[in-house]
Amino acid sequence: MVSQNDVDEILNRSRNAFLIFKNVPGKKRAELLRAIAAGIEGSAAKLLPVAMRETNLPEPRLAGEVARTCNQLRQFADMLVEGSWVEARIDTALPDRQPVPKPDIRKMMVPLGPVVVFGASNFPFAYSTAGVDTASALAAGCTVVLKGHPAHPETSNAVADVFSAALAQLGLPSDTFLHIQSPGFDVGRMLVQHPHTKAVGFTGSFSGGKALYDYAQQRKEPIPVFSEMGSINPVYLLPGALKSRSEQIAGQYAASVTLSVGQFCTNPGLLIAIKSQELDLFSAQLATAIGKTASAPMLHKGIAENYSKKRTEALSQKGVTLLGQGNGDADAGHGIPTLATVGGKDFLENPLLLDEVFGPYSLLVQAANQDELEMIAGSVAGQLTTSIIAEQSDWGQFGSLLQTVSEKAGRVIINGVPTGVEVCPSMHHGGPFPATTDARFSSVGIDAVKRFVRPLSFQNFPEQLLPEELKTDNPLGIWRLFNNQWKR
Ligand code: NAP
């Protein structure tokens, strides 16, 4: 068990390493990220069987996750080499300006300091030890203290060894990345509340992510906490689409609900449509598709028990009926694929039906009419994603729905399902509270780096004291103001 003294020592080491690492040039940090990616690929044959045993996830899924993890590390490396991410601004002096001269002012993003990252249970690679929070914090020039998720400790240790090797190979401080394995909420609290900690990255439950946020606000010096928490990712199914391709949508939706036993933050937990004969046919098709899906063991016992409890609670709510379920053995930790349904009025009267049931569960809400569907859209809280499945002919009638959902989601999808998060610069993976604690930032894609930097202005600095990025002849794609004219 890690004590307060241990946490003090760890954060002191991280802070000392930060004082060196923050001045390591971006190109060298890029080399570090590439060395970590190469190290993970080189160890994949050893890592995959361990991760399979610890998470119950199948090899193809984990191999895909390793590829994604290395890809995102390399995307940050490319970003560092290109360089414009620091948002350098150069305003040269205007000594003759009247009535007062204008000073030379330059600005760029600088790293915040040591970042505490909590590994996630459902992504042992892409959101854990070498996941996007760690990669983006290191890219920013921050040091990282990683609390490994207790569900996959051996995987986390093996990935941490890759970091040690990469740091040693490049002659960088070994404390740039520190790894802790110590389950217990107290340890998490101490890490978040340590004065040297300057930001936190988290993916997991609402209760966990909100607790970390609250710890940070109780500090003498509050710090940003980037928690990505629960989301039920509503999908609106509009009448034209229902009429023209019911069976195809049912198959696509069932596959999305049950993918990886529903253990994705983008799992579609809520499907909303207007009552009709076509909807009756569709719900039967969807129930059949979900019923045919084989269940599988969930990530760990705690998650399986939580799913079973939440599923039972959801199914016992007023007006909720079971439409279809797959086979499986809940006692053996399987997540039973489940489709339930409820009328729009009962849904609107019961906020419990908006809670995430983390696993292969989805609720079909049958609205009486368009007004009720729009009221449902208005009642839903912040989400990572919202999807609308529609034909061209639906838009004339449902344009306002698009406006409503755009207010509430980080990503709006037309004619697609929310699972499958592409790692690319245009991806926003975040959303208004309670999906995350800060709707302005993404935890996927190179913009994730923005969470761990702050702007710093340099006024009247002699050329030799300026960082490379702000030197007058820096060829990066930056904005400069020369003689009152902005130039790129
Ligand atoms: P979790 O309970 O949120 O835990 C994730 C990490 O946060 C763990 O390291 C945990 O500490 C720490 N933590 C949680 N609550 C804390 C608190 N109050 N104070 C300090 N640290 C705290 O997530 P989980 O273990 O992965 O799964 C639990 C449930 O979360 C699942 O059943 C599911 O409902 C939900 N979940 C949701 C998502 C999503 O993407 N929406 C993803 C994963 C899980 P310990 O090391 O002590 O456990």
Side-chain angles (χ1 to χ4, degrees), residues 118-123 147-151 182-189 202-209 211-212 215 228-231 263-266 299-300 302-304 306-307 310 356-358 384:
F118 288 76
S121 59
N122 56 341
F123 279 91
K147 183 172 181 293
H149 195 283
S182 181
F185 291 179
D186 263 359
V187 181
R189 182 187 52 73
F202 167 93
T203 298
S205 64
F206 174 78
S207 58
L212 302 188
Y215 300 149
E228 193 222 298
M229 307 179 287
S231 194
Q263 298 165 114
F264 288 128
C265 48
T266 50
L299 288 160
H300 61 82
I303 285 210
N306 204 19
Y307 175 63
K310 288 238 170 194
E356 182 183 41
V357 181
F358 189 72
L384 293 174

